[in-house]
Amino acid sequence: MSIDILMTVLGEHYSYLLPSDLERLPPEADWSKQPRTYLNELRKIILEMVRCLASNHLEMKETKAIIAYLQDEGRKPEEQRLVVDVLQLFLVMIGDKSSNLLYHLGQMGNIKPFLPLLKSEREKLRVWTLKVIGKLVQNASGDINQKY
């Protein structure tokens, strides 16, 4: 199991909405009919798995998979709460000094990948994006050569 696979599962199959391509699955595979608490727990487990995998050794392709999940513009407004969960995970991961995340984000433009999220109509998403950006700036404040 890898982070990019988990992010794909989270993005394509974990939703309160029923995507049209899932209509062909048998009823027992229909995630939209699961109790909301079940889906919340499942989301927490997937995100915890991402955090655990990232703490061992985060590859650039995995960082890119998480950023791609965050930047998916095809996401419906109702699914924006899932992005907030991933941003909260990012805050935890940024604080982990042993992770390669800060290095990878530096290679990707530091705060640049998060700027499009500030255009969201959802205030909660914008607030969590600002928290992540603030944490990145805070961690980079010791490096005067850091560029944004």
Side-chain angles (χ1 to χ4, degrees):
M1 187 69 56
S2 68
I3 290 175
D4 40 342
I5 291 172
L6 289 172
M7 296 311 296
T8 299
V9 168
L10 199 60
E12 292 181 3
H13 303 290
Y14 179 80
S15 174
Y16 291 118
L17 307 173
L18 180 62
S20 59
D21 60 334
L22 291 181
E23 291 176 354
R24 291 176 262 143
L25 294 176
E28 62 272 9
D30 184 353
W31 291 49
S32 68
K33 293 185 175 134
Q34 295 296 328
R36 191 171 290 248
T37 54
Y38 173 80
L39 295 175
N40 285 337
E41 287 304 311
L42 184 58
R43 181 178 63 216
K44 288 177 189 175
I45 290 168
I46 292 172
L47 290 172
E48 182 60 23
M49 289 171 64
V50 169
R51 189 194 63 75
C52 287
L53 289 171
S55 68
N56 288 333
H57 181 71
L58 188 65
E59 305 260 341
M60 178 61 105
K61 72 176 188 166
E62 295 170 330
T63 302
K64 287 181 178 180
I66 298 170
I67 294 295
Y69 178 85
L70 290 172
Q71 293 179 338
D72 180 8
E73 293 182 7
R75 188 171 282 108
K76 294 181 170 51
E78 301 84 17
E79 295 175 312
Q80 298 275 330
R81 65 179 165 241
L82 303 174
V83 177
V84 170
D85 290 340
V86 176
L87 287 170
Q88 291 170 345
L89 174 67
F90 249 97
L91 275 178
V92 172
M93 290 168 54
I94 289 169
D96 182 5
K97 302 296 184 196
S98 65
S99 173
N100 296 341
L101 180 64
L102 290 174
Y103 175 76
H104 293 163
L105 289 174
Q107 298 293 310
M108 297 173 72
N110 291 312
I111 65 171
K112 246 183 191 174
F114 300 98
L115 295 178
L117 298 175
L118 293 173
K119 296 178 189 174
S120 172
E121 295 178 15
R122 303 275 178 154
E123 181 180 10
K124 189 173 185 176
L125 177 62
R126 292 191 313 267
V127 167
W128 280 100
T129 300
L130 288 171
K131 288 180 181 187
V132 169
I133 290 172
K135 188 73 167 176
L136 288 170
V137 170
Q138 178 185 11
N139 281 328
S141 63
D143 183 2
I144 58 172
N145 296 321
Q146 191 81 24
K147 294 186 179 177
Y148 296 96

